[in-house]
């Protein structure tokens, strides 16, 4: 459940914009009608806050936040936004996330970086145009979160982005939001008419030490509208974008291994869409994957070369459908505890039953039965790795996040925040933390990034190793490959987790 709060202004362009019609979209809805329908899909009674004056609007947000038992989505009433973008913002795991547009790297005639505090369409019309009219380049963002926000009264060091409008907060941040809005209301005389309501709220949250994550529009649409010409342009642009393709692309996990990324996800998403449109559930797709895994084990157990090749092909497609079930769940919005448990449990089942099939086939082919020692060693090694993965993940979930620096809302600039962040950065650049940071930074090189993904021997690489070595060689080569690569992966993983624990 998400509590939707629509932020408007009265009198003002936001209120007038809600009656503008989006003629190029199906049904030619007005901006207000479309946004209301989107809000009702999340919240049966969305709240509307009309900005009669800034202090009143902020106190109204505070009252809603104080009584909120669920997450909050703040949306300006003149927003035109894809349904999929709303979904992605509200389902993000961050405690707070804002939609931003990063400023391009503009340079003056001397090659110096330009940083400005003006309406973005005046400084860089080619990236904003009328779609960002009135919004100011008053935000500094890092790689994953908002670092500082400015206002008419508060300066921000080297601004490089603008806050577009939507802001989502988890329920645990609602009390901080209420406190922040009340303090901001008392300081309303410091702000100017050009200060955006969402911008002010994020300004307050960041200064209160809330980690506000960032997200760009990417392949989806968001724009704030003030005139009919902008509404026409927005509707035409939105109508020309393939929202379903964006939804499908986002159904694919973004941090998969090398083999999964290049040899499975390039086409498995289309199988997922086909399955979802025909009513197949993620659990049904999981059963297909299990069946293929067992069939692969049976083929391996024949001990014949044709059976080994067939087993290699089947275990590959068992993994493909193992990816498809998650993609169907994300594409069709079908999530459940049972499905998650089945997926995690039967991944192990498929792998271990294939180990048994390989060992049986090796003996049937007339080879030594000491293959079972290798099979049990591979099974034990993989079980220990899974145990380490789950235990470390559970320990991390219990660990509270590191607090961010805070600074008073009345401070005229962000020097206090900047100094605290610089001190924190210096602390993290020494000792074990420094080594971890260097290794993290090395990930910007593509070779290092993929090498790190592969060295941990994820499930895609394991199934690929089984399929290739079994089809081309025999079970002994398969198990030796699994043991060598698995041992390297275990050593790398344990070393990294010990270092992170010490840091």
């Amino acid at each position: 459940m998400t509590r939707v709060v629509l932020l408007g202004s009265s009198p003002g362009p936001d209120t007038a914009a809600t009656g503008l019609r989006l003629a190029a979209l199906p049904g030619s809805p007005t901006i207000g009608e479309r946004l209301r329908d989107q809000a009702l899909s999340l919240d049966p009674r969305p709240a509307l806050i009309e900005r009669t004056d800034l202090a009143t609007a902020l106190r109204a947000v505070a009252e809603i936040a104080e009584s909120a038992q669920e997450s909050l989505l703040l949306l300006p009433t003149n927003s035109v936004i894809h349904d999929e973008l709303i979904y992605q913002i509200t389902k993000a795991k961050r405690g707070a996330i804002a939609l931003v547009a990063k400023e391009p790297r503009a340079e003056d005639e001397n090659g110096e970086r330009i940083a400005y505090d003006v309406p973005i369409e005046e400084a860089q019309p080619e990236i904003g145009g009328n779609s960002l009219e009135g919004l100011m380049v008053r935000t500094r963002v890092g790689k994953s979160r908002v670092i500082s926000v400015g206002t008419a009264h508060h300066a921000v060091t080297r601004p490089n982005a603008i806050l577009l409008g939507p802001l989502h907060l988890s329920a645990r941040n609602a009390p901080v939001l209420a406190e922040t809005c009340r303090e901001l209301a008392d300081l309303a005389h410091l702000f100017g008419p050009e200060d955006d309501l969402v911008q002010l709220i994020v300004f307050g949250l960041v200064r209160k030490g809330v980690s506000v994550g960032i997200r760009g529009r990417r392949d989806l649409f968001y724009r704030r509208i003030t005139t009919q010409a902008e509404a026409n342009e927005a509707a035409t642009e939105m109508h020309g974008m393939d929202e379903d393709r964006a939804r499908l692309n986002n159904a694919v996990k973004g941090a998969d291994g090398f083999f999964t990324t290049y040899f499975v996800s390039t086409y498995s998403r289309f199988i997922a869409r086909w399955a979802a449109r025909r009513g197949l559930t993620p659990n049904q797709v999981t059963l297909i994957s299990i069946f293929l895994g067992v069939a692969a084990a049976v083929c391996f157990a024949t001990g014949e070369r044709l059976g080994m090749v067939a087993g290699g092909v089947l275990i590959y497609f068992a993994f493909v459908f193992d990816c498809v079930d998650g993609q169907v769940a994300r594409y069709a919005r079908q999530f459940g505890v049972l499905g998650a448990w089945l997926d995690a449990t039967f991944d192990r089942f498929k792998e271990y039953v294939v180990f048994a099939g390989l060992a049986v086939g090796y003996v049937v082919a007339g080879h030594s039965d000491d293959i079972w020692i290798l099979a049990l060693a591979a099974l034990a090694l993989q079980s220990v790795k899974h145990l380490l993965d789950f235990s470390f993940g559970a320990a991390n979930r219990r660990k509270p996040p590191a607090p961010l620096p805070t600074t008073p809302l009345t401070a005229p600039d962000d020097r206090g925040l900047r100094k605290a962040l610089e001190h924190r950065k210096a602390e993290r650049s020494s000792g074990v933390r420094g080594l971890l940071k260097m290794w993290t930074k090395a990930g910007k090189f593509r070779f290092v990034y993929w090498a790190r993904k592969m060295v941990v021997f994820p499930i895609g690489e394991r199934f690929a190793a089984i399929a290739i070595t079994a089809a081309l060689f025999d079970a002994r080569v398969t198990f030796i490959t699994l043991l060598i690569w698995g041992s390297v992966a275990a050593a790398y993983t344990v070393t990294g987790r010990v270092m992170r624990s010490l840091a």
Side-chain angles (χ1 to χ4, degrees), residues 357-378:
L358 285 166
V360 169
Y362 193 79
V363 174
V364 168
H367 301 295
S368 169
D369 60 1
D370 64 357
I371 192 69
W372 286 103
I373 298 175
L374 292 177
L376 290 172

Side-chain angles (χ1 to χ4, degrees), residues 116-302:
Y116 36 76
D117 185 15
V118 296
I120 195 168
E121 76 280 1
E122 294 179 16
Q124 293 289 326
E126 69 276 10
I127 71 154
N130 292 331
S131 66
L132 304 177
E133 186 173 358
L135 298 178
M136 315 292 281
V137 188
R138 283 183 174 162
T139 304
R140 179 160 185 81
V141 300
K143 185 177 180 180
S144 62
R145 65 179 180 85
V146 178
I147 296 174
S148 178
V149 182
T151 73
H153 180 75
H154 302 83
V156 59
T157 305
R158 297 193 305 277
N160 62 357
I162 60 171
L163 291 162
L164 294 177
L167 172 67
H168 181 258
L169 293 100
S170 65
R172 72 174 183 269
N173 282 321
V176 184
L177 174 62
E179 177 188 351
T180 301
C181 287
R182 293 205 182 280
E183 291 188 29
L184 288 170
D186 294 337
L187 300 174
H189 60 281
L190 296 179
F191 307 126
E194 72 275 19
D195 283 322
D196 182 66
L197 192 54
V198 175
Q199 169 197 321
L200 292 176
I201 291 172
V202 177
F203 157 80
L205 291 173
V206 170
R207 290 198 168 203
K208 289 285 185 180
V210 175
S211 178
V212 181
I214 59 173
R215 192 203 188 280
R217 288 166 291 190
R218 300 176 194 163
D219 49 356
L220 292 164
F221 187 87
Y222 177 81
R223 183 174 294 184
R224 289 169 69 170
I225 303 302
T226 57
T227 67
Q228 184 60 55
E230 291 176 17
N232 295 339
E233 182 183 349
T236 301
E237 185 177 346
M238 177 180 273
H239 185 67
M241 298 177 74
D242 191 344
E243 185 178 7
D244 183 72
R245 181 60 181 265
R247 177 172 173 172
L248 183 63
N249 291 340
N250 283 294
V252 178
K253 289 166 63 176
D256 272 327
F258 179 84
F259 182 79
T260 307
T261 299
Y262 289 103
F263 295 95
V264 177
S265 295
T266 50
Y267 68 88
S268 62
R269 68 191 73 187
F270 302 109
I271 299 176
R273 180 166 62 184
W274 181 89
R277 289 180 174 177
R278 280 152 185 81
L280 287 177
T281 67
N283 290 347
Q284 289 171 333
V285 177
T286 299
L287 291 175
I288 294 173
S289 177
I290 294 169
F291 171 79
L292 291 173
V294 173
V298 171
C299 289
F300 286 141
T302 64

Side-chain angles (χ1 to χ4, degrees), residues 377-378 381-382 385 455-457 479-495:
L381 177 61
Q382 198 55 48
K385 282 181 79 267
V455 73
V456 298
F457 210 17
F479 288 129
I480 290 174
T481 301
L482 293 174
L483 286 169
I484 293 174
W485 197 343
S487 298
V488 172
Y492 173 83
T493 302
V494 170
T495 301

Side-chain angles (χ1 to χ4, degrees), residues 327-468:
Q327 292 165 6
V328 169
R330 289 184 286 273
Y331 179 75
R333 315 283 199 249
Q334 296 178 353
F335 303 102
V337 175
L338 176 63
W341 176 76
L342 284 175
D343 189 43
T345 301
F346 284 102
D347 277 352
R348 310 289 81 80
F349 170 78
K350 283 180 296 188
E351 197 167 2
Y352 296 161
V353 78
V354 163
F355 287 1
L358 285 166
V360 169
Y362 193 79
V363 174
V364 168
H367 301 295
S368 169
D369 60 1
D370 64 357
I371 192 69
W372 286 103
I373 298 175
L374 292 177
L376 290 172
L379 189 151
L381 177 61
Q382 198 55 48
S383 297
V384 169
K385 282 181 79 267
H386 291 316
L387 177 63
L388 292 173
D389 288 341
F390 285 115
S391 60
F392 187 78
N396 268 345
R397 283 191 293 272
R398 289 194 295 266
K399 183 182 70 175
L404 291 174
T406 62
T407 195
L409 300 184
T410 52
D413 54 42
D414 59 0
R415 279 183 295 181
L417 278 177
R418 197 168 71 250
K419 288 179 181 178
L421 289 171
E422 288 171 357
H423 178 69
R424 186 183 183 188
K425 183 178 179 181
E427 282 186 337
R428 294 189 169 190
S429 298
S430 59
V432 176
R433 285 183 174 182
L435 291 173
L436 290 172
K437 187 174 180 180
M438 287 174 58
W439 186 231
T440 300
K441 284 186 174 181
K444 67 182 180 180
F445 299 105
R446 199 165 185 81
F447 170 77
V448 176
Y449 175 82
W450 287 121
R452 290 194 321 203
K453 287 283 188 181
M454 295 177 69
V455 73
V456 298
F457 210 17
I459 187 171
E461 272 67 11
R462 291 201 305 275
F463 276 35
I466 292 170
I468 293 170

